């Protein structure tokens, strides 16, 4: 028969949709009456229902990936051309925020020049009592070179495949594995890492670890919500109620596991080693924070860890945020002596974002991104990849630089 089917049926038969099965049946039986009705796909009704549901849903459905290098083709949210839909140009906002960042940097550097980290008795005590942990210049070079090789391998496969579950986990094993290997090869005292809890007032340090990320990040979200008027309580409920309210324990366990692994590399080894090498709280925080942020770049660009915004913007802002955040984490490490308050801070930071703050502006780890959040370009402003998140941690850094240099009463 010809490629186009000319079928004739009684008028009553035309009341129903002609499917592919009807065509095949007609082909097998040439004596059957022919129909003059257009052929339509059987699942069309189902597709129309799904399309209708998608139109009614508050959540945005991203397009499918089709290219071999996912990082170039992830569904990205365009850059804002206005501030949260208002007439303030986004470029002007960038200029003002970078000017503010420069001012904060000047204040931090001035504080360092005025006091100096070695004038801080807390830093002195930490370095003197943890002198057996220092791996020396050779150990530091070994740590950073091996970390670079490890990240290059995992980063290549992340960029090539976009498989963050497999190669992201391989990437995550780098800092703890290399950190413990460095400590074991270049020192004879693994206990110098100090595996116990805080020496004094542990409740205070754990409380700081939980509350400071919320207060710091929350201030940025409050500014954004006030300007954009984008607050979505329904998404917060959808997130918390996911899996019969299983989102809370699942999120804590997930980030708890990742936080312990990361901080075995950063707070247990890298930051103390940089303190020993530089004798400067600020230099150790800046250098360590930059390394910490750049380590995330393969995950951001290759693994899709970017909240659907432009991955190169996310890869720029995240090291900015981790560098500022490092000041607080190094403060926790020096003041408490222990890595565990820092682990709590890391886990709390991620959990507050995933379970409370991001859902309030329309992004749920378990439900997806809402159309309104995409329209408002929320995550160029808030969260780990937003300017306000980085700026909030810069203000936090000023506070704790002052405290470590004796600005607070003991």
């Amino acid at each position: 028969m010809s490629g186009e089917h000319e079928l004739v049926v009684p008028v009553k038969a035309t009341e129903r949709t002609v499917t592919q099965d009807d065509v095949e049946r007609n082909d097998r039986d040439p004596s059957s009456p022919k129909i003059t009705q257009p052929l339509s796909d059987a699942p069309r009704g189902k597709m129309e229902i799904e399309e209708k549901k998608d139109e009614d849903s508050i959540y945005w459905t991203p397009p499918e990936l089709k290219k071999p290098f996912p990082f170039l083709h992830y569904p990205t949210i365009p850059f804002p051309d206005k501030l949260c839909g208002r007439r303030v140009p986004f470029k002007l906002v960038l200029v003002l925020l970078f000017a503010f960042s420069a001012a904060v940097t000047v204040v931090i550097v001035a504080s360092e020049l005025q006091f100096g980290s070695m004038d801080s008795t807390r830093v002195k005590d930490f370095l003197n009592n943890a002198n057996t942990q220092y791996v020396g210049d050779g150990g530091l070079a070994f740590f950073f070179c091996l970390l670079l090789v490890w990240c290059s391998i995992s980063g290549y496969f992340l960029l090539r495949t976009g498989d963050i579950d497999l190669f992201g986990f391989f990437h995550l094993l780098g800092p703890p594995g290399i950190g413990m290997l460095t400590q074991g090869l270049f020192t004879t005292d693994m206990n110098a890492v100090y595996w116990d809890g805080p020496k004094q007032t542990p409740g205070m340090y754990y409380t700081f670890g939980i509350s400071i990320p919320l207060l710091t990040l929350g201030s940025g979200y409050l500014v954004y919500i006030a300007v954009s008027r984008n607050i979505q309580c329904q998404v917060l409920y959808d997130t918390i109620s996911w899996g019969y309210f299983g989102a809370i324990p699942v999120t804590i366990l997930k980030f708890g596991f990742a936080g312990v692994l990361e901080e075995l590399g950063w707070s247990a080894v890298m930051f103390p080693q940089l303190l020993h090498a530089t004798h400067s709280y600020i230099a150790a925080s800046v250098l360590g924070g930059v390394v910490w942020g750049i380590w995330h770049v393969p995950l951001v660009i290759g693994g899709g860890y970017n909240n659907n915004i432009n991955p190169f913007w996310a890869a720029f802002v995240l090291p900015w945020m981790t560098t500022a955040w490092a000041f607080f984490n190094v403060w926790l490490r020096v003041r408490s002596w222990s890595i565990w308050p820092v682990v709590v801070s890391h886990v709390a930071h991620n959990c507050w974002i995933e379970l409370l703050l991001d859902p309030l502006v329309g992004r749920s780890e378990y439900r997806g991104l809402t159309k309104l959040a995409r329209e408002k370009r929320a995550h160029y402003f808030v969260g780990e990849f937003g300017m306000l998140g980085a700026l909030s941690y810069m203000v936090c850094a000023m506070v704790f630089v002052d405290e470590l240099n004796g600005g607070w009463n003991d």
Side-chain angles (χ1 to χ4, degrees), residues 60-67 73-77 308 374:
W60 173 58
T61 303
E64 294 182 3
L65 304 178
K66 296 181 180 179
K67 301 295 182 179
H73 300 277
Y74 267 111
T76 56
I77 299 170
N308 291 107
R374 185 174 187 274

Side-chain angles (χ1 to χ4, degrees), residues 179-251:
M180 293 299 101
L181 179 63
T182 302
Q183 196 70 42
L185 288 177
F186 290 87
T187 68
T188 57
D189 186 10
M190 289 294 289
N191 290 326
V193 174
Y194 193 78
W195 300 105
D196 295 336
K199 284 190 172 183
Q200 296 178 339
T201 59
M204 181 184 78
Y205 294 115
Y206 288 125
T207 301
F208 269 54
I210 294 171
S211 61
I212 292 300
L214 175 61
L215 295 174
T216 305
L217 290 165
S219 62
Y221 278 84
L222 284 175
V223 170
Y224 168 79
I225 289 172
V227 174
S228 68
R229 299 178 183 177
N230 171 24
I231 182 168
Q232 302 183 51
C233 297
Q234 178 63 45
V235 182
L236 176 61
Y237 175 77
D238 289 347
T239 300
I240 299 299
S241 63
W242 175 86
Y244 298 99
F245 295 90
I248 295 175
V250 168
T251 302

Side-chain angles (χ1 to χ4, degrees), residues 16-93:
R16 72 178 183 84
T17 301
V18 179
T19 67
Q20 186 65 35
D21 291 338
D22 296 325
V23 174
E24 293 175 358
R25 193 179 303 111
N26 187 270
D27 288 343
R28 290 193 299 269
D29 185 7
S31 63
S32 62
K34 296 193 175 183
I35 311 174
T36 56
Q37 180 182 347
L39 176 65
S40 60
D41 298 329
R44 182 169 180 78
K46 182 179 179 182
M47 290 174 63
E48 287 177 348
I49 292 173
E50 291 176 351
E51 289 173 2
K52 179 65 176 174
K53 286 182 179 179
D54 185 63
E55 289 177 3
D56 294 339
S57 173
I58 64 172
Y59 295 101
W60 173 58
T61 303
E64 294 182 3
L65 304 178
K66 296 181 180 179
K67 301 295 182 179
F69 283 87
F71 77 98
L72 291 175
H73 300 277
Y74 267 111
T76 56
I77 299 170
F79 278 107
D81 54 357
K82 298 177 183 177
L83 176 59
C84 306
R86 303 200 174 194
R87 292 185 177 180
V88 181
F90 184 64
K91 291 180 180 178
L92 175 60
V93 176

